[in-house]
């Protein structure tokens, strides 16, 4: 990305603050002229004092002159302080506002992206977070530097250079010739450092991603005593970052020395040339100090040029990935316009195949029909493609080939938000948001009353356990156990009350008693709704009116429990294995003994 392209992308974010920018520019112009006052006053002072000494004027005349000069300089400093305050305040306000807008824009945008965006290997949570944070930080810092540092510095330099040319063309020419040489060296420095910065961005992304994975996996790490292994892996990234940083610093210091030499050469030439003009009678003694101070005003932004280039190049590098995320139009989640008055719940899957973004083929030419107001169970070993079907039905992914119909209408024609608003989804592992228990349950229906929240919790058999907590429904939800969190997720679904329900291992994290309680609640809410259950629980499967058996991404059997069991096929093997794992024979014997007693 070039600087021109970067500013073109940033410009829309600055338009709402055009008045703020106007005030900043106005103050910059005033400040750039005020910055030159010292050079003119110094020239005037030296020349006047020199004249007074030569003419032998009394001390009172010199003191009067010093009083006037002091008053002018103090007045200038007061004005300049006010101008600088305004520049910094307006510049900082602009930075804060744009940082807010950048943050909100990226959040608004990524929420519209399809699931494939989040499951891509290049968009792991740690990497995504680093790219967003670094992008916003570098872009807002660029805006701040432009209005607080770069713009005032270069305005001062231009005004100072014009004053040098007006005073003496040849001295002004020295100031002008130094600038392109310095720019060229700084550009070389930026080019050399760009590769190091790209490497550093990659190292930081990997480091953050690995740190997040480390925290998420801490239980496994400790149980296998792999602390040293993980520490060693993290150490290697740190070493690579250190080497990269040292190479960056080495290159920067080398170029800084060259640029400092160029600047000092310019100062030497100004002194020599002005001294020559003084000796030849073309310039007063005060003009020497006058031109040196003006040259310092010209060289001030040059001294800052390497830092400015660093900031700009950071913005260029980090903004590439930031705007790649912000402008990923191809990742937007598709949506149709169809919004029926009612949804019956008849689902037809025709010749559907699906590959995940990593290339894994999850489904192969699936054909099946799910009848409305019926409980359907998807059965199969892990990896058979059961959860993938639910993901497709909820439009989290699109089929690679084939079509899905709901009530005779292609799923792609449905308005996505409308469709999901009429689907209840309970996953094997449900996310609990930071906040209270009431807020987490109310996520199923944001406008729900306290009474509705309590009723939903009662249906999910979690109300009594919530009331046992010190703060009840105002307790922090993340403090709940895994099984309790699962029931919070089920309570959300009760509150949502949708016509279609997808249950992906809904009782996986519950104990036997809780699972039985939830099963009773789920049985009640299933009435009159289309329900699809993915489960390895016999109690969840055997009650289903329709069972679909999957194996390696394909439908291999389809029918009722009785029919499939009599076929002695895949379902028979799975069901028998489930029964054996529960040791049903011993359970049956224990129950008989209990009846006999």
């Amino acid at each position: 990305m070039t600087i021109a392209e970067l500013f073109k992308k940033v410009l829309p974010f600055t338009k709402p603050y055009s008045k703020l920018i106007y005030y900043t520019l106005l103050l910059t112009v005033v400040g750039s002229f005020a910055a030159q006052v010292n050079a003119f006053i110094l020239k005037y002072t030296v020349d006047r004092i020199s004249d007074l000494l030569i003419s032998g004027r009394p001390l009172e005349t010199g003191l009067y002159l010093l009083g006037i000069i002091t008053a002018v300089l103090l007045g200038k400093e007061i004005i300049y302080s006010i101008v600088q305050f305004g520049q910094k305040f307006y510049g900082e306000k602009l930075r804060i506002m744009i940082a807010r807008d950048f943050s909100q824009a990226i959040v608004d945008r990524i929420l519209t992206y399809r699931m494939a965006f989040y499951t891509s290997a290049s968009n792991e949570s740690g990497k995504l977070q680093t790219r967003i944070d670094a992008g916003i930080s570098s872009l807002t810092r660029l805006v701040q530097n432009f209005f607080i540092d770069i713009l005032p510095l270069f305005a001062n330099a231009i005004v100072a250079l014009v004053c040098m040319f007006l005073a003496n063309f040849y001295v002004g020419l020295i100031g002008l010739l130094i600038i392109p040489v310095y720019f060229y060296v700084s550009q070389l420095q930026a080019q050399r450092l760009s590769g190091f910065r790209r490497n550093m961005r990659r190292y930081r992304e990997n480091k953050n991603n690995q740190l997040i994975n480390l925290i998420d996996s801490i239980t496994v790490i400790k149980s296998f005593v792999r602390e040293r292994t993980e520490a060693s892996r993290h150490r290697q990234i740190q070493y690579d970052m250190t080497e990269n940083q040292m190479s960056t610093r080495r290159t920067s210091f080398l170029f800084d020395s060259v640029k400092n030499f160029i600047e000092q050469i310019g100062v030497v030439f100004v002194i020599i040339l002005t001294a020559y003009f003084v000796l030849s009678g073309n310039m007063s003694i005060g003009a020497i100090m006058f031109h040196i101070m003006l040259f310092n005003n010209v060289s001030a932004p040059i001294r800052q040029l390497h830092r400015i280039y660093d900031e700009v190049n950071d913005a260029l590098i980090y903004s590439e990935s930031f705007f790649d995320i912000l402008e990923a139009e191809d990742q937007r989640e598709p949506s149709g316009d169809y919004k029926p008055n009612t949804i019956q719940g008849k689902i037809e899957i025709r010749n559907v195949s699906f590959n995940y973004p990593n290339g894994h083929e999850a489904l192969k030419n699936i054909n099946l029909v799910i009848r409305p107001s019926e409980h359907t169970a998807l059965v199969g070993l892990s990896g058979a493609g059961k959860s993938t079907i639910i993901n497709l039905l909820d439009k989290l992914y699109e089929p690679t080939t084939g079509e899905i119909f709901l009530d005779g209408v292609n799923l792609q024609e449905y308005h996505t938000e409308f469709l999901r608003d009429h689907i209840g989804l309970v996953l094997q592992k449900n996310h609990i948001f930071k906040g209270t228990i009431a807020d987490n349950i109310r996520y199923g229906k944001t406008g729900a009353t306290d009474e509705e929240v309590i009723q939903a919790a009662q249906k999910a058999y979690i109300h009594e356990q919530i009331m046992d907590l010190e703060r009840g429904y105002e307790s922090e939800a993340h403090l709940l156990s895994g099984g309790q969190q699962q029931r919070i997720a089920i309570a959300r679904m009760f509150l949502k009350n949708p016509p279609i329900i997808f249950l992906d291992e809904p009782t996986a994290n519950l104990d036997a008693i809780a699972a039985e309680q939830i099963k009773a609640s789920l049985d009640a809410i299933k009435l009159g709704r289309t329900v699809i259950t993915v489960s390895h629980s016999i109690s969840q499967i055997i009650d289903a009116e329709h069972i679909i058996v999957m194996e390696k991404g394909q439908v291999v059997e389809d029918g009722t429990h009785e029919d499939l069991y009599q076929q002695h096929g895949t379902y028979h093997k799975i069901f028998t294995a489930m029964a054996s794992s529960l040791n049903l024979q011993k359970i049956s014997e224990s129950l008989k003994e209990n009846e006999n007693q």
Side-chain angles (χ1 to χ4, degrees):
M1 184 182 296
T2 63
I3 295 177
E5 290 173 338
L6 175 60
F7 275 98
K8 185 178 179 181
K9 292 178 182 293
V10 173
L11 187 62
F13 290 92
T14 64
K15 283 185 177 179
Y17 313 107
S18 55
K19 287 186 177 180
L20 203 59
I21 294 173
Y22 172 76
Y23 295 144
T24 305
L25 293 177
L26 182 62
L27 289 171
T28 298
V29 172
V30 175
S32 63
F33 282 98
Q36 317 309 322
V37 171
N38 283 3
F40 284 93
I41 292 296
L42 182 60
K43 178 181 182 298
Y44 177 78
T45 303
V46 172
D47 289 340
R48 288 293 294 157
I49 290 176
S50 178
D51 292 341
L52 290 174
L53 291 174
I54 293 172
S55 61
R57 298 282 184 88
L59 179 62
E60 290 77 10
T61 304
L63 292 177
Y64 176 75
L65 175 65
L66 291 177
I68 294 176
I69 292 171
T70 301
V72 172
L73 289 175
L74 286 176
K76 171 260 176 181
E77 289 300 330
I78 292 172
I79 295 172
Y80 195 59
S81 296
I82 295 172
V83 169
Q84 281 192 314
F85 170 79
Q87 282 179 320
K88 291 180 179 179
F89 177 76
Y90 288 137
E92 182 67 11
K93 184 177 181 180
L94 184 63
R95 183 194 69 82
I96 293 171
M97 296 296 186
I98 291 179
R100 178 196 64 188
D101 294 348
F102 271 132
S103 300
Q104 190 60 46
I106 199 73
V107 170
D108 290 344
R109 186 56 62 91
I110 63 176
L111 285 173
T112 67
Y113 289 167
R114 63 184 78 197
M115 283 296 296
F117 172 81
Y118 297 96
T119 55
S120 171
S122 61
N123 291 330
E124 293 175 326
S125 56
K127 294 180 180 179
L128 204 59
Q129 179 185 351
T130 301
R131 290 205 295 273
I132 292 173
D133 289 345
I136 293 174
S137 176
S138 62
L139 286 169
T140 53
R141 195 163 58 246
L142 177 65
V143 172
Q144 180 188 25
N145 285 336
F146 182 75
F147 288 102
I148 296 179
D149 295 333
I150 302 175
L151 193 59
L153 281 171
F154 278 92
N156 292 349
I158 291 170
V159 174
L161 194 59
V162 170
C163 291
M164 288 179 70
F165 269 106
L166 292 175
N168 187 284
F169 175 81
Y170 297 103
V171 179
L173 195 60
I174 293 174
L176 182 62
L177 291 176
I178 289 294
I179 294 175
V181 176
Y182 210 96
F183 262 100
Y184 175 71
V185 175
S186 296
Q187 191 174 20
L188 284 179
Q189 180 181 12
Q191 290 173 353
R192 293 285 181 89
L193 292 177
S194 62
F196 294 124
R197 289 196 178 93
R198 290 179 189 278
N199 289 337
M200 184 58 65
R201 185 191 73 183
R202 187 177 68 254
Y203 289 141
R204 284 173 179 165
E205 289 177 1
N206 291 335
K207 176 185 174 183
N208 286 357
N209 193 59
Q210 185 169 319
L211 188 59
I212 291 174
N213 290 337
L214 185 147
I215 295 171
D216 291 343
S217 310
I218 192 65
T219 303
V220 177
I221 292 170
K222 286 187 173 296
S223 66
F224 282 92
V225 196
R226 292 293 180 266
E227 291 90 344
R228 292 182 180 178
T229 302
E230 295 300 327
S232 177
R233 186 181 303 170
H234 191 75
R235 188 182 299 113
Q236 185 59 49
I237 294 180
Q238 294 284 27
Y239 284 166
D240 291 340
M241 288 181 65
T242 301
E243 288 298 318
N244 193 75
Q245 286 174 323
M246 289 305 299
S247 298
T248 304
R249 296 295 181 269
R250 190 183 307 114
T251 303
S252 292
F253 294 152
L254 176 62
F255 277 95
D256 288 346
S257 299
V258 174
K259 290 186 291 185
N260 185 65
F261 175 76
I262 294 170
E263 180 187 350
Q264 295 307 312
I265 288 294
V267 174
V268 170
F269 279 129
V270 169
I271 293 173
I272 292 173
L273 190 58
T274 52
Y276 169 78
F277 284 124
V278 170
L279 292 174
S280 63
N282 296 318
M283 196 177 283
S284 65
I285 295 175
I288 297 177
M289 299 303 298
F290 171 74
H291 284 96
I292 290 175
M293 288 194 71
L294 288 179
F295 183 80
N296 283 333
N297 287 342
V298 173
S299 62
I302 295 178
R303 288 195 297 271
Q304 298 291 327
L305 200 57
H306 70 281
R307 181 182 63 80
I308 294 168
Y309 258 111
D310 285 346
E311 299 289 354
V312 170
N313 277 280
D314 273 347
L316 288 174
I317 290 170
Y318 288 111
S319 63
E320 286 178 6
S321 54
F322 176 82
F323 282 108
D324 282 345
I325 297 171
L326 188 64
E327 299 173 351
E329 295 293 333
D330 59 321
Q331 295 296 335
R332 278 182 175 271
E333 199 168 39
S335 178
D337 299 320
Y338 184 61
K339 296 181 180 180
N341 294 326
T342 58
I343 292 181
Q344 301 300 321
K346 181 182 179 181
I347 298 170
E348 299 175 77
I349 299 179
R350 302 176 187 173
N351 305 314
V352 166
S353 297
F354 176 73
N355 296 343
Y356 279 103
N358 61 7
H360 171 65
E361 187 179 26
L363 299 177
K364 305 173 186 176
N365 197 33
I366 298 291
N367 287 278
L368 57 88
V369 176
I370 295 172
R371 294 178 287 274
S373 304
E374 192 171 84
H375 180 198
T376 300
L378 298 179
V379 180
L381 301 179
S382 298
K386 306 181 298 296
S387 297
T388 300
I389 286 183
I390 288 181
N391 288 337
L392 294 179
L393 295 179
D394 206 24
K395 286 188 75 174
L396 297 177
Y397 293 95
E398 297 179 43
T400 304
T401 60
E403 296 175 303
I404 301 175
F405 293 86
L406 174 60
D407 294 339
V409 179
N410 194 309
L411 207 63
Q412 300 305 316
E413 296 181 21
Y414 277 82
H415 190 278
T416 301
E417 290 185 8
F418 173 86
L419 177 70
R420 290 175 185 163
D421 200 41
H422 289 77
I423 292 176
L425 182 62
V426 179
L427 302 173
Q428 183 174 351
K429 184 178 180 181
N430 290 278
H431 182 75
I432 296 298
F433 296 93
K434 184 176 178 60
T436 66
I437 293 173
D439 290 339
N440 270 271
I441 295 176
R442 195 173 277 113
Y443 206 77
K445 180 183 176 183
T446 53
T449 63
D450 292 341
E451 290 74 17
E452 289 175 319
V453 170
I454 292 173
Q455 289 175 4
Q458 289 172 335
K459 293 177 181 178
Y461 290 92
I462 189 66
H463 172 71
E464 293 182 3
Q465 294 183 38
I466 294 174
M467 297 307 298
D468 288 339
L469 299 173
E470 184 176 352
R471 298 180 59 195
Y473 282 85
E474 294 304 310
S475 302
E476 289 293 322
H478 71 273
L479 299 176
L480 299 174
S481 67
Q484 290 172 326
Q485 291 182 5
Q486 183 77 335
R487 277 187 269 187
I488 293 297
I490 294 174
R492 286 179 194 159
M493 192 263 292
F494 279 114
L495 197 59
K496 189 175 184 180
N497 196 28
I500 299 176
I501 299 174
F502 299 151
L503 306 174
D504 193 349
E505 298 287 358
T507 59
N509 297 321
L510 304 180
D511 55 65
I513 294 176
E516 183 59 30
Q517 292 173 335
I518 292 297
K519 182 180 179 300
S521 298
L522 292 176
D523 288 343
I525 203 172
K526 288 173 186 176
L527 297 175
R529 292 177 171 84
T530 302
V531 180
I532 300 177
T533 300
V534 173
S535 180
H536 292 98
S537 169
I538 289 180
S539 62
Q540 294 286 334
I541 295 171
I542 203 168
D543 287 342
E545 302 157 273
H546 179 203
I547 296 175
I548 297 171
V549 184
M550 300 187 64
E551 188 174 14
K552 296 181 180 180
Q554 295 178 304
V555 174
V556 292
E557 294 176 358
D558 186 344
T560 64
H561 164 73
E562 291 76 11
D563 293 338
L564 295 178
Y565 189 78
Q566 294 298 325
Q567 292 177 15
H568 291 271
T570 303
Y571 179 76
H572 183 273
K573 292 178 182 178
I574 293 173
F575 187 84
T576 303
M578 288 180 181
S580 298
S581 67
L582 293 174
N583 203 348
L584 291 181
Q585 183 177 354
K586 191 167 185 178
I587 293 173
S588 178
E589 292 174 357
S590 298
L591 291 174
K592 287 181 180 179
E593 290 177 4
N594 186 58
E595 290 176 358
N596 294 332
Q597 292 176 358

